[in-house]
C-alpha cells in the first residue's frame, strides 16, 4: 500500500497545473487564483480582472465573429484582432482592382471604414454558477439520462429566457463544465455593426505564410483593426450610416515597455476547445489514426489549390481564405502528433489510469477507465469514417452546391473543384470501408472505369450531382452523425463520473474546466524554450529577422519595398516583432490581448509553437509556448506603413 500511495503521489505531481503555467481559468472564479498570480508578479486585484459592479478588464475583451477574440483599444470602439481572424472579411472586400489582401487597407477617416454583414462581437456581461438551478428537480435514483437531459434543457431555457428579457442585444447560453458536473450561465451583449478600419498587406500580416505557421522564430504582423458601431443609445443596432462609434465601459491602455524574459503575462480571451482529462485510448486514436490520415488528405487538397493559385492572381484572391483554413489545422496536427509521441503521452496516461484504478478498487469508480476504453473501441471505427466524410466528401464544393449548401460563386473556381473531386473521392473510396458508404455510391462507382470519368459525368449532369450529394450527405447526416452522437453522449456520461473520481483521487489538484469558447484567463511569463539538444530559442524576434528572411522571389517572404527602405535608413534593427510566453492557449485565443503585470496591453496572441501544439491534450511546460505579436510592432506598422496616425491618437499609452 505504501508503494502504491507513493507512486500515486509522484505521478499526481506530473499532472498538477499549479506547478507550471497550465490552465484556463474562469474570470468569475479568478479570486481563487489571484494569490498565485500575484506571487508570480501580477499587480492588480481579482476585481480588476472581472467585476459586474464596476468596469473591469473583461469589458475590453470580445468574442470576435464565431471563433476569435478581440480587444478594445480606444474609447471610440477601436478593436484589434488578428489578421487571420479578419482575413475572410478583408478577402470579401478584395478584387483584382482593389487587392486589400496583397496591398493592405487603411481607412484614413471614419467614412472609409467598410461594413461587414454578418460579423458580430460579443461582450461578456456576466457569468454565474447555475448548477443547482439547472439540476433542480433531478432525482438520480428515479431518472435516466434522457430524462436528466430533458430536465437540464428545460431549466436552462428558463434561465436563458430570464437573462435576455431586457433585449438590447443580450444573448445567453448555459454551458456544461467538467462534463456536466457544473453548469455556468454566460450572458453576452452582441453588437452587429463592425467595420474594417485597417489591415497590413499580407506580406506583413501573413509574412512567412504556411511555412512559418506554428513555428518559431516568427516575424508575422498578424493584426487587423475594426471598429464597433452602435445606435445613439450605445446599444446594438443593425448597420446604418446614422450609427456612432461604440463607447466601451473599458478600453485597454497600451504599454511600450515591451516583453522581457521572465516578465509576468496573462491572456484574456475565448479559447475554443481542449481535452485535458481524456482517456489514453482517445489520445492513441488521435496520434496513430486521426492526425496522420487527416494530414495526408489535406496535403493533397493544399497541393491542388496552390497549383492554381500560383498561376492566377484572381484565383489566389478567391482561394486565399480557403487555403489558409485548410492549412492551419493541417500544420497544427503535424506538431500535435509529434508532440504526443515525444512526450509518450499515451503511456503516461495509461500509467495514470492504472494508478487511478488501483485507488478505485471496491468503490463506485472501479472499472471506469475500462468502460471508457470499450466505448472508444466501439466509437473509433465509426468516428474514423465520420472524419473521412468531413475531409473528403464535404471538401468537394460541387457536392455541397448540389446538396443545396451555399458556395459563394465569387470564390469558386471549377478546375480546382474538379481535381479535388477526383482526389478526394478516390481517397474516400479506398479509405472508407464499404459498410460506411451509401449503396448508391458503391453501385455508381462500379459504372465508371476511373474517378475522372465519374467526375466528368457529375460535373456535366446536375441530376447526377444531386443524386450523389443526396446519397452521401444523407448517409452522413442520417446514419453516421447519429451513431457518433450516441456513442459520444455515452462517453460524455462516463466522463462525468470519471471527472468526479479524478477530483476525489487528487483533492489537492486545481482542475480547470476544458475550454469551450467562453472567456478565460491564462497566465504565465515571457520565456524561450529548447526544442532539441543544444538549441535554445530566445523569446523575442525583431525586424532584423524579417529582413534576413526577405525574398522577392517567394510570395510569402516578399515584404513591401517601403519596409525595406525604412530598415535601410537605420535605427530599426531591434524593432520588436513577436514574443513567446508560457500562457496556455488554443484556437479561439487568436486575437486575445496579452497583458502585463499592470493589466496593460503588450501584445496580441496569434499562435503556438509547433512543438507544443499537443497542449489541447497534454501541456508540457518545457515546450508549450504561445506566440504573440508585440504591440510596438503594430504601432510601427500603423504609422510607417499605414500612415494612419489618427488611429494612434485614439489610443492611450500607459508607459
Amino acid at each position: 500500500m505504501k508503494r502504491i500511495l507513493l507512486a500515486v503521489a509522484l505521478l499526481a505531481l506530473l499532472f498538477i497545473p499549479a506547478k507550471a503555467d497550465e490552465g484556463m481559468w474562469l474570470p468569475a472564479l479568478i479570486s481563487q487564483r489571484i494569490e498565485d498570480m500575484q506571487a508570480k508578479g501580477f499587480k492588480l486585484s481579482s476585481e480588476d480582472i472581472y467585476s459586474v459592479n464596476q468596469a473591469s478588464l473583461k469589458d475590453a475583451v470580445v468574442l470576435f465573429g464565431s471563433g476569435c477574440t478581440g480587444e478594445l483599444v480606444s474609447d471610440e470602439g477601436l478593436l484589434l484582432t488578428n489578421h487571420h481572424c479578419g482575413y475572410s472579411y478583408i478577402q470579401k472586400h478584395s478584387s483584382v482592382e482593389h487587392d486589400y489582401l496583397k496591398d493592405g487597407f487603411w481607412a484614413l477617416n471614419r467614412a472609409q471604414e467598410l461594413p461587414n454583414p454578418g460579423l458580430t462581437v460579443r461582450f461578456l456581461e456576466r457569468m454565474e454558477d447555475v448548477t443547482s438551478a439547472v439540476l433542480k428537480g433531478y432525482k438520480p435514483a428515479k431518472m435516466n439520462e434522457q430524462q436528466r437531459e430533458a430536465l437540464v434543457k428545460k431549466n436552462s431555457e428558463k434561465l436563458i429566457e430570464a437573462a435576455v428579457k431586457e433585449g438590447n442585444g443580450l444573448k445567453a447560453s448555459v454551458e456544461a463544465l467538467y462534463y456536466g458536473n457544473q453548469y455556468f450561465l454566460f450572458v453576452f451583449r452582441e453588437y452587429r455593426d463592425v467595420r474594417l478600419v485597417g489591415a497590413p498587406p499580407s506580406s506583413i500580416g501573413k509574412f512567412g505564410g504556411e511555412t512559418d505557421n506554428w513555428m518559431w522564430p516568427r516575424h508575422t504582423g498578424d493584426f487587423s483593426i475594426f471598429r464597433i458601431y452602435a445606435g445613439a443609445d450605445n446599444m446594438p443596432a443593425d448597420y446604418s450610416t446614422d450609427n456612432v462609434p461604440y463607447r466601451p465601459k473599458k478600453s485597454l491602455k497600451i504599454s511600450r515597455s515591451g516583453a522581457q524574459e521572465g516578465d509576468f503575462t496573462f491572456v484574456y480571451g475565448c479559447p475554443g476547445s481542449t481535452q485535458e482529462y481524456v482517456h489514453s485510448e482517445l489520445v492513441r486514436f488521435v496520434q496513430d489514426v486521426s492526425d496522420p490520415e487527416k494530414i495526408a488528405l489535406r496535403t493533397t487538397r493544399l497541393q491542388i489549390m496552390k497549383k492554381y493559385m500560383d498561376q492566377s492572381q484572381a484565383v489566389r484572391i478567391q482561394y486565399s481564405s480557403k487555403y489558409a483554413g485548410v492549412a492551419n489545422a493541417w500544420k497544427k496536427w503535424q506538431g500535435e502528433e509529434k508532440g504526443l509521441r515525444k512526450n509518450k503521452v499515451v503511456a503516461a496516461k495509461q500509467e495514470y489510469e492504472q494508478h487511478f484504478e488501483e485507488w478505485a478498487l471496491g468503490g463506485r469508480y472501479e472499472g471506469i477507465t475500462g468502460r471508457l476504453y470499450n466505448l472508444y473501441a466501439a466509437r473509433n471505427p465509426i468516428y474514423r469514417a465520420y472524419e473521412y466524410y468531413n475531409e473528403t466528401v464535404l471538401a468537394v464544393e460541387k457536392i455541397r452546391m448540389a446538396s443545396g449548401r451555399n458556395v459563394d460563386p465569387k470564390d469558386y473556381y471549377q478546375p480546382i473543384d474538379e481535381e479535388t473531386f477526383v482526389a478526394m473521392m478516390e481517397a474516400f473510396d479506398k479509405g472508407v470501408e464499404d459498410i460506411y458508404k451509401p449503396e448508391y455510391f458503391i453501385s455508381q462507382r462500379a459504372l465508371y472505369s476511373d474517378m475522372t470519368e465519374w467526375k466528368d459525368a457529375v460535373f456535366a449532369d446536375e441530376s447526377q450531382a444531386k443524386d450523389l450529394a443526396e446519397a452521401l450527405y444523407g448517409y452522413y447526416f442520417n446514419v453516421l452523425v447519429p451513431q457518433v452522437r450516441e456513442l459520444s453522449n455515452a462517453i460524455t456520461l462516463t466522463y462525468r463520473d470519471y471527472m468526479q473520481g479524478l477530483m476525489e483521487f487528487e483533492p489537492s489538484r486545481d482542475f480547470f474546466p476544458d475550454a469551450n469558447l467562453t472567456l478565460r484567463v491564462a497566465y504565465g511569463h515571457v520565456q524561450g524554450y529548447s526544442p532539441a539538444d543544444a538549441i535554445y530559442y530566445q523569446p523575442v524576434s525583431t525586424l532584423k529577422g524579417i529582413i534576413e528572411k526577405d525574398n522577392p522571389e517567394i510570395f510569402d517572404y516578399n515584404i513591401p519595398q517601403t519596409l525595406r527602405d525604412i530598415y535601410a535608413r537605420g535605427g530599426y534593427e531591434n524593432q520588436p516583432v513577436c514574443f513567446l510566453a508560457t500562457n496556455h492557449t488554443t484556437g479561439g485565443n487568436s486575437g486575445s490581448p496579452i497583458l502585463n503585470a499592470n493589466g496593460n496591453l503588450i501584445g496580441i496572441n496569434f499562435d503556438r509553437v509547433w512543438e507544443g501544439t499537443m497542449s489541447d491534450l497534454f501541456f508540457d511546460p518545457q515546450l508549450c509556448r504561445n506566440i504573440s505579436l508585440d504591440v510596438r510592432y503594430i504601432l510601427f506598422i500603423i504609422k510607417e506603413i499605414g500612415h494612419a496616425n489618427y488611429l494612434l491618437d485614439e489610443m492611450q499609452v500607459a508607459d
Side-chain angles (χ1 to χ4, degrees), residues 594-613:
I594 309 297
L595 307 174
N596 63 13
N598 295 311
N600 296 324
L601 185 69
I602 58 172
I604 302 179
N605 181 80
F606 70 93
D607 212 348
R608 287 172 282 170
V609 299
W610 193 58
E611 298 86 354
T613 52

Side-chain angles (χ1 to χ4, degrees), residues 393 398-405 440 458 463-475:
V393 173
K398 180 68 173 180
I399 297 177
R400 289 180 58 200
M401 288 186 286
S403 71
R405 285 160 177 80
Y440 178 87
V458 168
S463 63
Q464 250 206 76
K466 186 175 181 180
D467 289 344
L468 179 60
E470 287 180 352
L472 288 169
Y473 274 86
Y475 189 90

Side-chain angles (χ1 to χ4, degrees), residues 284-328:
R284 186 206 62 79
F285 177 78
V286 169
Q287 171 188 285
D288 295 342
V289 180
S290 178
D291 279 358
E293 290 186 340
K294 290 186 295 187
I295 290 165
L297 292 168
R298 290 203 175 194
T299 297
T300 301
R301 290 175 60 194
L302 290 168
Q303 289 170 343
I304 293 169
M305 283 190 278
K306 188 174 188 304
K307 179 176 71 175
Y308 290 96
M309 290 168 69
D310 287 346
Q311 296 171 4
S312 165
Q313 181 188 8
V315 175
R316 176 181 57 77
I317 293 171
Q318 286 177 305
Y319 276 76
S320 286
S321 183
K322 296 176 186 178
Y323 185 94
V326 173
N328 191 53

Side-chain angles (χ1 to χ4, degrees), residues 98-377:
H98 299 286
D99 191 348
Y100 298 138
L101 291 176
K102 178 177 178 292
D103 302 324
F105 170 79
W106 303 97
L108 298 182
N109 55 60
R110 303 279 169 83
Q112 293 181 3
E113 296 172 359
L114 302 176
N116 300 280
L119 175 58
T120 63
V121 297
R122 286 187 172 191
F123 291 89
L124 178 67
E125 293 280 307
R126 61 185 175 89
M127 56 188 298
E128 176 185 351
D129 187 334
V130 291
T131 307
S132 59
V134 168
L135 297 178
K136 184 178 180 181
Y138 176 53
K139 297 177 175 59
K142 297 182 179 180
M143 301 176 72
N144 59 30
E145 184 61 20
Q146 289 71 31
Q147 290 170 322
R148 183 187 189 276
E149 286 184 6
L151 180 69
V152 166
K153 181 180 179 181
K154 179 181 177 182
N155 289 340
S156 296
E157 288 174 348
K158 289 180 180 178
L159 290 168
I160 291 170
E161 182 180 359
V164 303
K165 63 182 179 181
E166 171 197 321
N168 287 331
L170 286 181
K171 307 285 183 179
S173 65
V174 173
E175 304 291 342
L177 305 179
Y178 305 111
Y179 298 97
N181 282 297
Q182 189 177 29
Y183 293 88
F184 261 77
L185 171 71
F186 295 86
V187 182
F188 309 90
R189 198 176 301 274
E190 182 179 89
Y191 286 78
R192 50 192 184 271
D193 184 357
V194 185
R195 306 180 195 180
L196 177 64
V197 175
S202 290
S203 52
I204 291 175
K206 277 180 61 67
F207 180 79
E210 297 311 319
T211 304
D212 280 10
N213 192 19
W214 302 101
M215 306 301 286
W216 186 262
R218 198 69 176 275
H219 300 88
T220 308
D222 195 348
F223 78 96
S224 55
I225 309 173
F226 291 78
R227 191 185 303 279
I228 305 169
Y229 279 78
D233 58 358
N234 210 38
M235 288 290 112
D238 291 331
Y239 170 80
S240 169
T241 55
D242 295 329
N243 287 347
V244 296
Y246 168 69
R247 302 182 301 280
K249 299 175 186 176
K250 177 81 173 179
S251 61
L252 299 178
K253 295 181 179 179
I254 290 172
S255 171
R256 292 181 180 270
S257 297
Q260 308 298 323
E261 189 149 22
D263 285 355
F264 176 87
T265 60
F266 79 105
V267 178
Y268 212 156
C270 304
S273 178
T274 57
Q275 296 176 289
E276 295 289 329
Y277 310 109
V278 291
H279 189 273
S280 58
E281 180 58 15
L282 174 60
V283 180
R284 186 206 62 79
F285 177 78
V286 169
Q287 171 188 285
D288 295 342
V289 180
S290 178
D291 279 358
E293 290 186 340
K294 290 186 295 187
I295 290 165
L297 292 168
R298 290 203 175 194
T299 297
T300 301
R301 290 175 60 194
L302 290 168
Q303 289 170 343
I304 293 169
M305 283 190 278
K306 188 174 188 304
K307 179 176 71 175
Y308 290 96
M309 290 168 69
D310 287 346
Q311 296 171 4
S312 165
Q313 181 188 8
V315 175
R316 176 181 57 77
I317 293 171
Q318 286 177 305
Y319 276 76
S320 286
S321 183
K322 296 176 186 178
Y323 185 94
V326 173
N328 191 53
W330 167 80
K331 185 77 171 282
K332 183 255 188 181
W333 291 328
Q334 295 175 58
E336 180 177 72
E337 179 191 348
K338 181 179 179 181
L340 292 173
R341 293 187 190 279
K342 180 175 182 177
N343 283 274
K344 299 180 174 60
V345 177
V346 174
K349 280 187 170 285
Q350 287 172 340
E351 186 177 0
Y352 181 80
E353 290 154 9
Q354 178 183 344
H355 287 299
F356 175 86
E357 283 296 342
E358 291 171 352
W359 168 84
L361 282 173
R364 61 172 292 206
Y365 305 112
E366 181 178 356
I368 197 168
T369 62
R371 294 200 297 275
L372 281 168
Y373 176 87
N374 291 335
L375 284 167
Y376 278 119

Side-chain angles (χ1 to χ4, degrees), residues 491-505:
I491 289 170
T492 298
L493 175 60
T494 308
Y495 272 126
R496 189 187 306 153
D497 289 338
Y498 185 46
M499 280 302 310
Q500 291 177 349
L502 291 180
M503 291 174 175
E504 293 177 27
F505 177 50

Side-chain angles (χ1 to χ4, degrees), residues 421-422 426 429 444-457:
F421 178 97
V422 173
E426 284 180 346
D429 192 28
Q444 286 294 114
R445 174 69 186 89
L447 299 178
Y448 297 93
S449 60
D450 58 28
M451 200 60 71
T452 299
E453 185 181 353
W454 194 8
K455 176 263 296 181
D456 291 340

